[in-house]
């Protein structure tokens, strides 16, 4: 990115943020290094565990403020996602999984905008992959356990298809169930968090560069505009972060429901 | 002028999901306008459709950085 040569004589050129900056190592080397997202994810785990234990240990019929807050998050997950999608019969078994996934994701996404942390662990692809593997293994295990290998493969084909088209549909459905679903589940979360954080970085570093390192009236105006956009995008990011945590949980519930359902 | 042509791929892959997401939310707004009490049910369906339609754009974004 090059700014016009009008004023840029003495200043260094602007370096746009690049993906390498997301790799922030504290100590260790290579595969065994200890990085910033790991620290943040540990913080998320500790905070979520402490908060949930603290607010639900003395659960009462007339809830305290903390318990009320937990229930406000718990109710939509239990009723809105689990019950509606998995079905009233056996949704209760999967509520803890969905609730844990939602809480972890919500807080680790929000780490992107919480002051002093300001980095989403889910913006590193390893974390979405790990969470997705968790969901993936669970929904495949349920399907294999319920239907058996042959039954599972049979349930992939919609009933009433002509004979000659069934092998093609089977291949397509196997690709969907075993490759596309987990890949999109992980990449959707990663892509949204990564792109959003990158956008914030770009607006803020660009605004800082134009305000402080460039002479000329027009750069000050653009710099201020860039900062205003950063504020706007931060608000947008918060919305996206809630939405992505919700979508991940929703899709996990959908996949589990698919594994339980006996018909296609 | 210099840059990475893979970014153009991201731009192209964002066209389809852009149209698709627009259609999904248009249908959602239509549905809520006609039947406001169905909002809760329609909302989760709309967000589900949005998430699925978005996948292609996300692939484009990731591949843009992969083929650097």
């Amino acid at each position: 990115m090059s700014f016009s040569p009008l004023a840029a004589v003495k200043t260094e050129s602007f370096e746009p943020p690049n993906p390498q900056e997301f790799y922030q190592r504290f100590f260790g080397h290579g595969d065994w290094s200890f990085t910033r997202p790991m620290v943040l994810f540990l913080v998320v785990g500790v905070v979520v565990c402490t908060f949930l234990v603290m607010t639900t240990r003395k659960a009462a019929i007339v809830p305290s403020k903390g318990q009320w807050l937990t229930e406000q998050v718990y109710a939509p997950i239990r009723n809105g996602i689990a019950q509606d999608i998995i079905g009233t019969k056996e949704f209760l078994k999967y509520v803890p999984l969905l609730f844990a996934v939602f809480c972890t994701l919500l807080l680790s996404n929000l780490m992107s905008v919480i002051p002093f942390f300001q980095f989403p662990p889910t913006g590193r692809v390893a974390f979405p992959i790990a969470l997705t593997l968790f969901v993936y293994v669970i929904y495949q295990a349920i399907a294999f356990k319920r239907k058996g290998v042959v039954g599972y493969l049979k349930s992939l084909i919609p009933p009433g298809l002509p004979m000659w088209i069934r092998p093609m549909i089977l291949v397509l459905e196997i690709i969907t169930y075993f490759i596309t679903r987990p890949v999109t589940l992980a990449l959707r979360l990663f892509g949204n968090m990564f792109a959003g954080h990158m956008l914030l970085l770009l607006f803020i570093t660009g605004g800082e560069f134009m305000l402080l390192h460039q002479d000329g009236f027009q750069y000050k105006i653009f710099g201020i505009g860039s900062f205003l956009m950063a504020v706007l995008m931060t608000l947008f990011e918060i919305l996206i972060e809630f939405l992505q945590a919700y979508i991940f949980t929703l899709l996990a519930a959908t996949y589990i429901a698919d594994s339980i359902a006996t018909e296609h | 002028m210099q840059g990475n042509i893979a970014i153009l791929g991201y731009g192209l892959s964002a066209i389809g999901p852009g149209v698709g997401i627009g259609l999904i939310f248009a249908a959602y707004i239509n549905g809520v306008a006609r039947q406001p009490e169905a909002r809760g049910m329609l909302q989760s369906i709309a967000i589900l459709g949005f998430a699925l339609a978005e996948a292609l754009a996300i692939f484009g974004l990731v591949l843009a950085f992969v083929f650097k």
Side-chain angles (χ1 to χ4, degrees), chain A residues 19 183-184 187-188 190-192 194-195 198 243-244 246-247 250-251 254, chain B residues 41 43-45 47-48 50-55 58-59 61-62 65 68:
Chain A
V183 168
T184 48
L187 285 189
R188 177 179 300 113
F190 161 71
N192 273 290
F194 173 77
M198 193 80 127
L243 200 63
Q244 286 307 319
Y246 179 75
I247 284 175
L250 189 73
L251 285 174
T254 316
Chain B
M41 214 166 74
Q43 195 164 34
S44 64
I45 299 173
I47 289 178
L48 191 67
F50 156 74
L52 295 177
E54 195 194 28
I58 297 296
F59 278 147
L61 175 76
V62 172
F65 283 108
K68 195 142 181 155

PDB file of all heavy atoms in Angstrom, chain A residues 19 183-184 187-188 190-192 194-195 198 243-244 246-247 250-251 254, chain B residues 41 43-45 47-48 50-55 58-59 61-62 65 68:
ATOM      1  N   PRO A  19      -0.819 -11.708   8.178  1.00  0.00           N
ATOM      2  CA  PRO A  19      -1.177 -12.853   9.038  1.00  0.00           C
ATOM      3  C   PRO A  19      -0.052 -13.297   9.968  1.00  0.00           C
ATOM      4  O   PRO A  19      -0.322 -13.903  10.999  1.00  0.00           O
ATOM      5  CB  PRO A  19      -1.500 -13.955   8.023  1.00  0.00           C
ATOM      6  CG  PRO A  19      -1.836 -13.249   6.784  1.00  0.00           C
ATOM      7  CD  PRO A  19      -1.047 -11.998   6.762  1.00  0.00           C
ATOM      8  N   VAL A 183     -14.996 -29.090   7.995  1.00  0.00           N
ATOM      9  CA  VAL A 183     -14.110 -28.045   7.470  1.00  0.00           C
ATOM     10  C   VAL A 183     -14.793 -26.687   7.523  1.00  0.00           C
ATOM     11  O   VAL A 183     -14.218 -25.700   7.984  1.00  0.00           O
ATOM     12  CB  VAL A 183     -13.662 -28.392   6.037  1.00  0.00           C
ATOM     13  CG1 VAL A 183     -13.009 -27.205   5.379  1.00  0.00           C
ATOM     14  CG2 VAL A 183     -12.696 -29.552   6.057  1.00  0.00           C
ATOM     15  N   THR A 184     -16.064 -26.638   7.078  1.00  0.00           N
ATOM     16  CA  THR A 184     -16.737 -25.344   7.097  1.00  0.00           C
ATOM     17  C   THR A 184     -16.988 -24.877   8.530  1.00  0.00           C
ATOM     18  O   THR A 184     -16.905 -23.693   8.811  1.00  0.00           O
ATOM     19  CB  THR A 184     -18.081 -25.380   6.360  1.00  0.00           C
ATOM     20  OG1 THR A 184     -18.808 -26.509   6.816  1.00  0.00           O
ATOM     21  CG2 THR A 184     -17.891 -25.452   4.874  1.00  0.00           C
ATOM     22  N   LEU A 187     -13.648 -23.479   9.650  1.00  0.00           N
ATOM     23  CA  LEU A 187     -13.159 -22.325   8.895  1.00  0.00           C
ATOM     24  C   LEU A 187     -14.082 -21.120   9.012  1.00  0.00           C
ATOM     25  O   LEU A 187     -13.631 -19.984   8.928  1.00  0.00           O
ATOM     26  CB  LEU A 187     -12.993 -22.686   7.417  1.00  0.00           C
ATOM     27  CG  LEU A 187     -11.776 -23.544   7.093  1.00  0.00           C
ATOM     28  CD1 LEU A 187     -11.604 -23.644   5.601  1.00  0.00           C
ATOM     29  CD2 LEU A 187     -10.532 -22.970   7.718  1.00  0.00           C
ATOM     30  N   ARG A 188     -15.377 -21.360   9.224  1.00  0.00           N
ATOM     31  CA  ARG A 188     -16.303 -20.243   9.345  1.00  0.00           C
ATOM     32  C   ARG A 188     -15.936 -19.390  10.560  1.00  0.00           C
ATOM     33  O   ARG A 188     -15.798 -18.168  10.469  1.00  0.00           O
ATOM     34  CB  ARG A 188     -17.721 -20.756   9.477  1.00  0.00           C
ATOM     35  CG  ARG A 188     -18.749 -19.665   9.687  1.00  0.00           C
ATOM     36  CD  ARG A 188     -20.133 -20.232   9.775  1.00  0.00           C
ATOM     37  NE  ARG A 188     -20.480 -20.942   8.548  1.00  0.00           N
ATOM     38  CZ  ARG A 188     -20.662 -22.238   8.471  1.00  0.00           C
ATOM     39  NH1 ARG A 188     -20.552 -22.984   9.543  1.00  0.00           N
ATOM     40  NH2 ARG A 188     -20.963 -22.822   7.326  1.00  0.00           N
ATOM     41  N   PHE A 190     -13.065 -19.467  12.262  1.00  0.00           N
ATOM     42  CA  PHE A 190     -11.730 -18.908  12.102  1.00  0.00           C
ATOM     43  C   PHE A 190     -11.744 -17.716  11.153  1.00  0.00           C
ATOM     44  O   PHE A 190     -11.200 -16.653  11.466  1.00  0.00           O
ATOM     45  CB  PHE A 190     -10.777 -19.982  11.573  1.00  0.00           C
ATOM     46  CG  PHE A 190      -9.537 -19.433  10.951  1.00  0.00           C
ATOM     47  CD1 PHE A 190      -8.563 -18.854  11.741  1.00  0.00           C
ATOM     48  CD2 PHE A 190      -9.352 -19.458   9.581  1.00  0.00           C
ATOM     49  CE1 PHE A 190      -7.424 -18.320  11.173  1.00  0.00           C
ATOM     50  CE2 PHE A 190      -8.224 -18.930   9.004  1.00  0.00           C
ATOM     51  CZ  PHE A 190      -7.259 -18.360   9.804  1.00  0.00           C
ATOM     52  N   GLY A 191     -12.377 -17.892   9.994  1.00  0.00           N
ATOM     53  CA  GLY A 191     -12.368 -16.835   8.986  1.00  0.00           C
ATOM     54  C   GLY A 191     -12.990 -15.556   9.494  1.00  0.00           C
ATOM     55  O   GLY A 191     -12.451 -14.468   9.287  1.00  0.00           O
ATOM     56  N   ASN A 192     -14.117 -15.676  10.190  1.00  0.00           N
ATOM     57  CA  ASN A 192     -14.781 -14.470  10.694  1.00  0.00           C
ATOM     58  C   ASN A 192     -13.932 -13.744  11.723  1.00  0.00           C
ATOM     59  O   ASN A 192     -13.788 -12.523  11.673  1.00  0.00           O
ATOM     60  CB  ASN A 192     -16.121 -14.836  11.304  1.00  0.00           C
ATOM     61  CG  ASN A 192     -17.209 -14.871  10.270  1.00  0.00           C
ATOM     62  OD1 ASN A 192     -17.603 -13.842   9.751  1.00  0.00           O
ATOM     63  ND2 ASN A 192     -17.666 -16.038   9.935  1.00  0.00           N
ATOM     64  N   PHE A 194     -10.663 -14.042  12.276  1.00  0.00           N
ATOM     65  CA  PHE A 194      -9.402 -13.596  11.688  1.00  0.00           C
ATOM     66  C   PHE A 194      -9.606 -12.332  10.859  1.00  0.00           C
ATOM     67  O   PHE A 194      -8.913 -11.326  11.040  1.00  0.00           O
ATOM     68  CB  PHE A 194      -8.859 -14.739  10.830  1.00  0.00           C
ATOM     69  CG  PHE A 194      -7.659 -14.393  10.020  1.00  0.00           C
ATOM     70  CD1 PHE A 194      -6.412 -14.305  10.612  1.00  0.00           C
ATOM     71  CD2 PHE A 194      -7.769 -14.173   8.666  1.00  0.00           C
ATOM     72  CE1 PHE A 194      -5.312 -13.998   9.866  1.00  0.00           C
ATOM     73  CE2 PHE A 194      -6.672 -13.857   7.913  1.00  0.00           C
ATOM     74  CZ  PHE A 194      -5.431 -13.770   8.513  1.00  0.00           C
ATOM     75  N   ALA A 195     -10.607 -12.372   9.958  1.00  0.00           N
ATOM     76  CA  ALA A 195     -10.836 -11.231   9.076  1.00  0.00           C
ATOM     77  C   ALA A 195     -11.254 -10.008   9.877  1.00  0.00           C
ATOM     78  O   ALA A 195     -10.807  -8.887   9.599  1.00  0.00           O
ATOM     79  CB  ALA A 195     -11.905 -11.581   8.046  1.00  0.00           C
ATOM     80  N   MET A 198      -8.252  -8.574  11.675  1.00  0.00           N
ATOM     81  CA  MET A 198      -7.374  -7.968  10.681  1.00  0.00           C
ATOM     82  C   MET A 198      -7.890  -6.593  10.255  1.00  0.00           C
ATOM     83  O   MET A 198      -7.119  -5.639  10.111  1.00  0.00           O
ATOM     84  CB  MET A 198      -7.333  -8.897   9.471  1.00  0.00           C
ATOM     85  CG  MET A 198      -6.266  -8.566   8.507  1.00  0.00           C
ATOM     86  SD  MET A 198      -4.749  -9.219   9.100  1.00  0.00           S
ATOM     87  CE  MET A 198      -4.279 -10.132   7.684  1.00  0.00           C
ATOM     88  N   LEU A 243     -22.772 -13.642  17.139  1.00  0.00           N
ATOM     89  CA  LEU A 243     -23.416 -14.419  16.088  1.00  0.00           C
ATOM     90  C   LEU A 243     -22.634 -15.688  15.779  1.00  0.00           C
ATOM     91  O   LEU A 243     -23.214 -16.758  15.610  1.00  0.00           O
ATOM     92  CB  LEU A 243     -23.518 -13.547  14.828  1.00  0.00           C
ATOM     93  CG  LEU A 243     -24.547 -13.971  13.812  1.00  0.00           C
ATOM     94  CD1 LEU A 243     -25.920 -13.890  14.401  1.00  0.00           C
ATOM     95  CD2 LEU A 243     -24.451 -13.116  12.577  1.00  0.00           C
ATOM     96  N   GLN A 244     -21.301 -15.580  15.733  1.00  0.00           N
ATOM     97  CA  GLN A 244     -20.499 -16.754  15.387  1.00  0.00           C
ATOM     98  C   GLN A 244     -20.562 -17.810  16.484  1.00  0.00           C
ATOM     99  O   GLN A 244     -20.638 -19.005  16.187  1.00  0.00           O
ATOM    100  CB  GLN A 244     -19.053 -16.357  15.111  1.00  0.00           C
ATOM    101  CG  GLN A 244     -18.860 -15.652  13.791  1.00  0.00           C
ATOM    102  CD  GLN A 244     -19.427 -16.405  12.627  1.00  0.00           C
ATOM    103  OE1 GLN A 244     -19.304 -17.614  12.533  1.00  0.00           O
ATOM    104  NE2 GLN A 244     -20.093 -15.704  11.722  1.00  0.00           N
ATOM    105  N   TYR A 246     -23.038 -18.258  18.442  1.00  0.00           N
ATOM    106  CA  TYR A 246     -24.382 -18.820  18.315  1.00  0.00           C
ATOM    107  C   TYR A 246     -24.459 -19.794  17.150  1.00  0.00           C
ATOM    108  O   TYR A 246     -25.015 -20.886  17.269  1.00  0.00           O
ATOM    109  CB  TYR A 246     -25.383 -17.671  18.144  1.00  0.00           C
ATOM    110  CG  TYR A 246     -26.813 -18.102  17.974  1.00  0.00           C
ATOM    111  CD1 TYR A 246     -27.544 -18.562  19.057  1.00  0.00           C
ATOM    112  CD2 TYR A 246     -27.431 -18.043  16.738  1.00  0.00           C
ATOM    113  CE1 TYR A 246     -28.852 -18.963  18.906  1.00  0.00           C
ATOM    114  CE2 TYR A 246     -28.730 -18.433  16.574  1.00  0.00           C
ATOM    115  CZ  TYR A 246     -29.443 -18.889  17.661  1.00  0.00           C
ATOM    116  OH  TYR A 246     -30.727 -19.291  17.512  1.00  0.00           O
ATOM    117  N   ILE A 247     -23.887 -19.398  16.016  1.00  0.00           N
ATOM    118  CA  ILE A 247     -23.966 -20.238  14.811  1.00  0.00           C
ATOM    119  C   ILE A 247     -23.221 -21.543  15.017  1.00  0.00           C
ATOM    120  O   ILE A 247     -23.691 -22.607  14.613  1.00  0.00           O
ATOM    121  CB  ILE A 247     -23.411 -19.467  13.590  1.00  0.00           C
ATOM    122  CG1 ILE A 247     -24.432 -18.444  13.117  1.00  0.00           C
ATOM    123  CG2 ILE A 247     -23.063 -20.403  12.462  1.00  0.00           C
ATOM    124  CD1 ILE A 247     -23.939 -17.574  12.017  1.00  0.00           C
ATOM    125  N   LEU A 250     -25.373 -23.675  17.101  1.00  0.00           N
ATOM    126  CA  LEU A 250     -26.558 -24.076  16.321  1.00  0.00           C
ATOM    127  C   LEU A 250     -26.211 -25.195  15.352  1.00  0.00           C
ATOM    128  O   LEU A 250     -26.928 -26.196  15.252  1.00  0.00           O
ATOM    129  CB  LEU A 250     -27.071 -22.851  15.558  1.00  0.00           C
ATOM    130  CG  LEU A 250     -28.401 -22.950  14.851  1.00  0.00           C
ATOM    131  CD1 LEU A 250     -29.507 -22.942  15.869  1.00  0.00           C
ATOM    132  CD2 LEU A 250     -28.579 -21.801  13.881  1.00  0.00           C
ATOM    133  N   LEU A 251     -25.078 -25.035  14.653  1.00  0.00           N
ATOM    134  CA  LEU A 251     -24.699 -26.053  13.681  1.00  0.00           C
ATOM    135  C   LEU A 251     -24.300 -27.343  14.371  1.00  0.00           C
ATOM    136  O   LEU A 251     -24.627 -28.430  13.883  1.00  0.00           O
ATOM    137  CB  LEU A 251     -23.558 -25.537  12.800  1.00  0.00           C
ATOM    138  CG  LEU A 251     -23.998 -24.526  11.752  1.00  0.00           C
ATOM    139  CD1 LEU A 251     -22.810 -23.960  11.026  1.00  0.00           C
ATOM    140  CD2 LEU A 251     -24.933 -25.158  10.751  1.00  0.00           C
ATOM    141  N   THR A 254     -27.397 -29.017  15.096  1.00  0.00           N
ATOM    142  CA  THR A 254     -28.002 -29.568  13.875  1.00  0.00           C
ATOM    143  C   THR A 254     -27.342 -30.872  13.473  1.00  0.00           C
ATOM    144  O   THR A 254     -28.015 -31.829  13.080  1.00  0.00           O
ATOM    145  CB  THR A 254     -27.862 -28.558  12.723  1.00  0.00           C
ATOM    146  OG1 THR A 254     -28.177 -27.271  13.212  1.00  0.00           O
ATOM    147  CG2 THR A 254     -28.784 -28.893  11.597  1.00  0.00           C
TER     148      THR A 254
ATOM    149  N   MET B  41     -39.115 -18.535  15.385  1.00  0.00           N
ATOM    150  CA  MET B  41     -38.825 -19.729  14.603  1.00  0.00           C
ATOM    151  C   MET B  41     -38.049 -19.374  13.350  1.00  0.00           C
ATOM    152  O   MET B  41     -37.094 -20.052  12.976  1.00  0.00           O
ATOM    153  CB  MET B  41     -40.140 -20.400  14.222  1.00  0.00           C
ATOM    154  CG  MET B  41     -40.060 -21.892  14.173  1.00  0.00           C
ATOM    155  SD  MET B  41     -41.691 -22.603  14.131  1.00  0.00           S
ATOM    156  CE  MET B  41     -42.227 -22.279  12.489  1.00  0.00           C
ATOM    157  N   GLN B  43     -36.125 -16.867  12.845  1.00  0.00           N
ATOM    158  CA  GLN B  43     -34.810 -16.301  13.095  1.00  0.00           C
ATOM    159  C   GLN B  43     -33.720 -17.369  13.045  1.00  0.00           C
ATOM    160  O   GLN B  43     -32.701 -17.196  12.369  1.00  0.00           O
ATOM    161  CB  GLN B  43     -34.805 -15.621  14.455  1.00  0.00           C
ATOM    162  CG  GLN B  43     -33.615 -14.719  14.635  1.00  0.00           C
ATOM    163  CD  GLN B  43     -33.828 -13.776  15.797  1.00  0.00           C
ATOM    164  OE1 GLN B  43     -34.461 -14.128  16.783  1.00  0.00           O
ATOM    165  NE2 GLN B  43     -33.311 -12.579  15.681  1.00  0.00           N
ATOM    166  N   SER B  44     -33.952 -18.481  13.739  1.00  0.00           N
ATOM    167  CA  SER B  44     -32.896 -19.493  13.766  1.00  0.00           C
ATOM    168  C   SER B  44     -32.713 -20.110  12.390  1.00  0.00           C
ATOM    169  O   SER B  44     -31.598 -20.431  11.993  1.00  0.00           O
ATOM    170  CB  SER B  44     -33.211 -20.555  14.821  1.00  0.00           C
ATOM    171  OG  SER B  44     -34.376 -21.249  14.471  1.00  0.00           O
ATOM    172  N   ILE B  45     -33.821 -20.237  11.634  1.00  0.00           N
ATOM    173  CA  ILE B  45     -33.690 -20.781  10.270  1.00  0.00           C
ATOM    174  C   ILE B  45     -32.898 -19.823   9.399  1.00  0.00           C
ATOM    175  O   ILE B  45     -32.014 -20.232   8.641  1.00  0.00           O
ATOM    176  CB  ILE B  45     -35.085 -21.036   9.663  1.00  0.00           C
ATOM    177  CG1 ILE B  45     -35.844 -22.057  10.495  1.00  0.00           C
ATOM    178  CG2 ILE B  45     -34.956 -21.527   8.242  1.00  0.00           C
ATOM    179  CD1 ILE B  45     -37.264 -22.234  10.056  1.00  0.00           C
ATOM    180  N   ILE B  47     -30.680 -17.586  10.333  1.00  0.00           N
ATOM    181  CA  ILE B  47     -29.267 -17.544  10.704  1.00  0.00           C
ATOM    182  C   ILE B  47     -28.557 -18.809  10.244  1.00  0.00           C
ATOM    183  O   ILE B  47     -27.403 -18.759   9.807  1.00  0.00           O
ATOM    184  CB  ILE B  47     -29.138 -17.314  12.222  1.00  0.00           C
ATOM    185  CG1 ILE B  47     -29.561 -15.874  12.532  1.00  0.00           C
ATOM    186  CG2 ILE B  47     -27.731 -17.542  12.698  1.00  0.00           C
ATOM    187  CD1 ILE B  47     -29.526 -15.530  13.968  1.00  0.00           C
ATOM    188  N   LEU B  48     -29.254 -19.922  10.296  1.00  0.00           N
ATOM    189  CA  LEU B  48     -28.676 -21.176   9.798  1.00  0.00           C
ATOM    190  C   LEU B  48     -28.370 -21.066   8.305  1.00  0.00           C
ATOM    191  O   LEU B  48     -27.274 -21.397   7.849  1.00  0.00           O
ATOM    192  CB  LEU B  48     -29.655 -22.319  10.067  1.00  0.00           C
ATOM    193  CG  LEU B  48     -29.122 -23.728   9.857  1.00  0.00           C
ATOM    194  CD1 LEU B  48     -28.066 -24.031  10.880  1.00  0.00           C
ATOM    195  CD2 LEU B  48     -30.252 -24.723   9.967  1.00  0.00           C
ATOM    196  N   PHE B  50     -27.944 -18.346   6.624  1.00  0.00           N
ATOM    197  CA  PHE B  50     -26.878 -17.357   6.468  1.00  0.00           C
ATOM    198  C   PHE B  50     -25.518 -18.002   6.685  1.00  0.00           C
ATOM    199  O   PHE B  50     -24.582 -17.794   5.910  1.00  0.00           O
ATOM    200  CB  PHE B  50     -27.125 -16.224   7.470  1.00  0.00           C
ATOM    201  CG  PHE B  50     -25.914 -15.442   7.849  1.00  0.00           C
ATOM    202  CD1 PHE B  50     -25.362 -14.539   6.973  1.00  0.00           C
ATOM    203  CD2 PHE B  50     -25.342 -15.615   9.095  1.00  0.00           C
ATOM    204  CE1 PHE B  50     -24.246 -13.815   7.334  1.00  0.00           C
ATOM    205  CE2 PHE B  50     -24.237 -14.900   9.463  1.00  0.00           C
ATOM    206  CZ  PHE B  50     -23.680 -13.999   8.576  1.00  0.00           C
ATOM    207  N   ALA B  51     -25.425 -18.847   7.723  1.00  0.00           N
ATOM    208  CA  ALA B  51     -24.151 -19.489   8.034  1.00  0.00           C
ATOM    209  C   ALA B  51     -23.723 -20.424   6.909  1.00  0.00           C
ATOM    210  O   ALA B  51     -22.549 -20.499   6.568  1.00  0.00           O
ATOM    211  CB  ALA B  51     -24.262 -20.263   9.344  1.00  0.00           C
ATOM    212  N   LEU B  52     -24.697 -21.124   6.322  1.00  0.00           N
ATOM    213  CA  LEU B  52     -24.343 -22.060   5.262  1.00  0.00           C
ATOM    214  C   LEU B  52     -23.960 -21.325   3.984  1.00  0.00           C
ATOM    215  O   LEU B  52     -23.050 -21.728   3.277  1.00  0.00           O
ATOM    216  CB  LEU B  52     -25.515 -23.015   4.998  1.00  0.00           C
ATOM    217  CG  LEU B  52     -25.844 -23.938   6.172  1.00  0.00           C
ATOM    218  CD1 LEU B  52     -27.047 -24.791   5.852  1.00  0.00           C
ATOM    219  CD2 LEU B  52     -24.664 -24.813   6.520  1.00  0.00           C
ATOM    220  N   ALA B  53     -24.661 -20.228   3.697  1.00  0.00           N
ATOM    221  CA  ALA B  53     -24.370 -19.487   2.470  1.00  0.00           C
ATOM    222  C   ALA B  53     -23.021 -18.789   2.563  1.00  0.00           C
ATOM    223  O   ALA B  53     -22.352 -18.557   1.554  1.00  0.00           O
ATOM    224  CB  ALA B  53     -25.474 -18.463   2.197  1.00  0.00           C
ATOM    225  N   GLU B  54     -22.628 -18.481   3.802  1.00  0.00           N
ATOM    226  CA  GLU B  54     -21.399 -17.724   4.006  1.00  0.00           C
ATOM    227  C   GLU B  54     -20.154 -18.564   3.750  1.00  0.00           C
ATOM    228  O   GLU B  54     -19.070 -18.029   3.532  1.00  0.00           O
ATOM    229  CB  GLU B  54     -21.412 -17.238   5.456  1.00  0.00           C
ATOM    230  CG  GLU B  54     -20.447 -16.175   5.792  1.00  0.00           C
ATOM    231  CD  GLU B  54     -20.349 -16.063   7.299  1.00  0.00           C
ATOM    232  OE1 GLU B  54     -20.574 -17.064   7.992  1.00  0.00           O
ATOM    233  OE2 GLU B  54     -20.044 -14.983   7.760  1.00  0.00           O
ATOM    234  N   ALA B  55     -20.316 -19.898   3.772  1.00  0.00           N
ATOM    235  CA  ALA B  55     -19.156 -20.803   3.734  1.00  0.00           C
ATOM    236  C   ALA B  55     -18.244 -20.538   2.542  1.00  0.00           C
ATOM    237  O   ALA B  55     -17.025 -20.552   2.675  1.00  0.00           O
ATOM    238  CB  ALA B  55     -19.641 -22.248   3.725  1.00  0.00           C
ATOM    239  N   ILE B  58     -15.973 -17.661   3.017  1.00  0.00           N
ATOM    240  CA  ILE B  58     -14.923 -17.976   3.987  1.00  0.00           C
ATOM    241  C   ILE B  58     -13.829 -18.814   3.331  1.00  0.00           C
ATOM    242  O   ILE B  58     -12.638 -18.587   3.569  1.00  0.00           O
ATOM    243  CB  ILE B  58     -15.536 -18.703   5.192  1.00  0.00           C
ATOM    244  CG1 ILE B  58     -16.528 -17.788   5.905  1.00  0.00           C
ATOM    245  CG2 ILE B  58     -14.468 -19.155   6.150  1.00  0.00           C
ATOM    246  CD1 ILE B  58     -15.938 -16.574   6.500  1.00  0.00           C
ATOM    247  N   PHE B  59     -14.246 -19.779   2.489  1.00  0.00           N
ATOM    248  CA  PHE B  59     -13.241 -20.547   1.747  1.00  0.00           C
ATOM    249  C   PHE B  59     -12.364 -19.610   0.932  1.00  0.00           C
ATOM    250  O   PHE B  59     -11.138 -19.738   0.922  1.00  0.00           O
ATOM    251  CB  PHE B  59     -13.927 -21.531   0.789  1.00  0.00           C
ATOM    252  CG  PHE B  59     -14.366 -22.797   1.435  1.00  0.00           C
ATOM    253  CD1 PHE B  59     -15.504 -23.447   1.005  1.00  0.00           C
ATOM    254  CD2 PHE B  59     -13.635 -23.346   2.464  1.00  0.00           C
ATOM    255  CE1 PHE B  59     -15.913 -24.621   1.591  1.00  0.00           C
ATOM    256  CE2 PHE B  59     -14.030 -24.522   3.052  1.00  0.00           C
ATOM    257  CZ  PHE B  59     -15.180 -25.156   2.635  1.00  0.00           C
ATOM    258  N   LEU B  61     -11.690 -16.489   1.427  1.00  0.00           N
ATOM    259  CA  LEU B  61     -10.805 -15.704   2.287  1.00  0.00           C
ATOM    260  C   LEU B  61      -9.610 -16.519   2.731  1.00  0.00           C
ATOM    261  O   LEU B  61      -8.463 -16.069   2.673  1.00  0.00           O
ATOM    262  CB  LEU B  61     -11.592 -15.216   3.512  1.00  0.00           C
ATOM    263  CG  LEU B  61     -10.743 -14.489   4.548  1.00  0.00           C
ATOM    264  CD1 LEU B  61     -10.426 -13.103   4.055  1.00  0.00           C
ATOM    265  CD2 LEU B  61     -11.429 -14.433   5.881  1.00  0.00           C
ATOM    266  N   VAL B  62      -9.877 -17.759   3.166  1.00  0.00           N
ATOM    267  CA  VAL B  62      -8.775 -18.593   3.658  1.00  0.00           C
ATOM    268  C   VAL B  62      -7.813 -18.936   2.524  1.00  0.00           C
ATOM    269  O   VAL B  62      -6.599 -18.848   2.688  1.00  0.00           O
ATOM    270  CB  VAL B  62      -9.344 -19.865   4.308  1.00  0.00           C
ATOM    271  CG1 VAL B  62      -8.240 -20.830   4.645  1.00  0.00           C
ATOM    272  CG2 VAL B  62     -10.114 -19.500   5.562  1.00  0.00           C
ATOM    273  N   PHE B  65      -5.289 -16.375   1.574  1.00  0.00           N
ATOM    274  CA  PHE B  65      -4.073 -16.304   2.384  1.00  0.00           C
ATOM    275  C   PHE B  65      -3.206 -17.537   2.216  1.00  0.00           C
ATOM    276  O   PHE B  65      -2.008 -17.472   2.428  1.00  0.00           O
ATOM    277  CB  PHE B  65      -4.439 -16.116   3.860  1.00  0.00           C
ATOM    278  CG  PHE B  65      -4.839 -14.702   4.149  1.00  0.00           C
ATOM    279  CD1 PHE B  65      -6.157 -14.380   4.397  1.00  0.00           C
ATOM    280  CD2 PHE B  65      -3.897 -13.696   4.159  1.00  0.00           C
ATOM    281  CE1 PHE B  65      -6.530 -13.085   4.645  1.00  0.00           C
ATOM    282  CE2 PHE B  65      -4.259 -12.401   4.403  1.00  0.00           C
ATOM    283  CZ  PHE B  65      -5.580 -12.095   4.648  1.00  0.00           C
ATOM    284  N   LYS B  68      -0.446 -17.584  -1.026  1.00  0.00           N
ATOM    285  CA  LYS B  68       0.221 -16.289  -1.008  1.00  0.00           C
ATOM    286  C   LYS B  68       1.515 -16.358  -1.806  1.00  0.00           C
ATOM    287  O   LYS B  68       2.282 -17.263  -1.641  1.00  0.00           O
ATOM    288  CB  LYS B  68       0.500 -15.868   0.429  1.00  0.00           C
ATOM    289  CG  LYS B  68       0.857 -14.414   0.513  1.00  0.00           C
ATOM    290  CD  LYS B  68       0.257 -13.786   1.747  1.00  0.00           C
ATOM    291  CE  LYS B  68       0.636 -12.326   1.734  1.00  0.00           C
ATOM    292  NZ  LYS B  68      -0.207 -11.492   2.420  1.00  0.00           N
TER     293      LYS B  68
END
